[in-house]
Amino acid sequence: MKPSQVGDYIIIAQQTSCEGTVYKIEICYTTLLSIDNKHIVIPNGTLSNSIITNVTARDLRKLEIKVGISYDSGIQKAKEILEEILHNDEDTKDDKGMVRFVDELGENAVIMGLRVWVATDKYWSIKWRLNQLIKEAFDANGIEIPYNQVHVKEESRI
């Protein structure tokens, strides 16, 4: 039984920072290449006793992005912007069910979210592009993305 093959991107749950693309599978060891091109050599016994997430096993992957908006910004307008971005993007699968939602009423922001199916091999480039498009569209439409701020009150001197 092989939970992965050469070329798959895997994450090994029991190992800290142990993930990468399967480079070589041998009798005793499997070699991964990390995203910064380090060789990670793992005994196959360790692999067989670990939970392995094979990120590239499927052609499609669900992408989730969350972004906070100001409590003064319009939730409905933000949802409309997210929907427009998703429907206009050539790499999102709108026939597979796109979801836009209010995820949380946070301490400093209303956390908006979206979920959409994308091609696994384009996952990161789509995520990065959508993040940029969301920021630009929110800016253009007056939807504020808040950030933590410290307000210092000046004391009057006597």
Side-chain angles (χ1 to χ4, degrees), residues 73-82 84 112 138 141 143:
S73 296
I75 291 173
Q76 194 57 41
K77 181 66 176 173
K79 287 174 95 173
E80 289 168 8
I81 291 168
L82 293 176
E84 182 178 337
M112 305 294 298
F138 280 7
N141 287 278
I143 304 289

Side-chain angles (χ1 to χ4, degrees), residues 149-153:
Q149 301 178 42
V150 176
H151 295 281
V152 179
K153 185 176 179 182

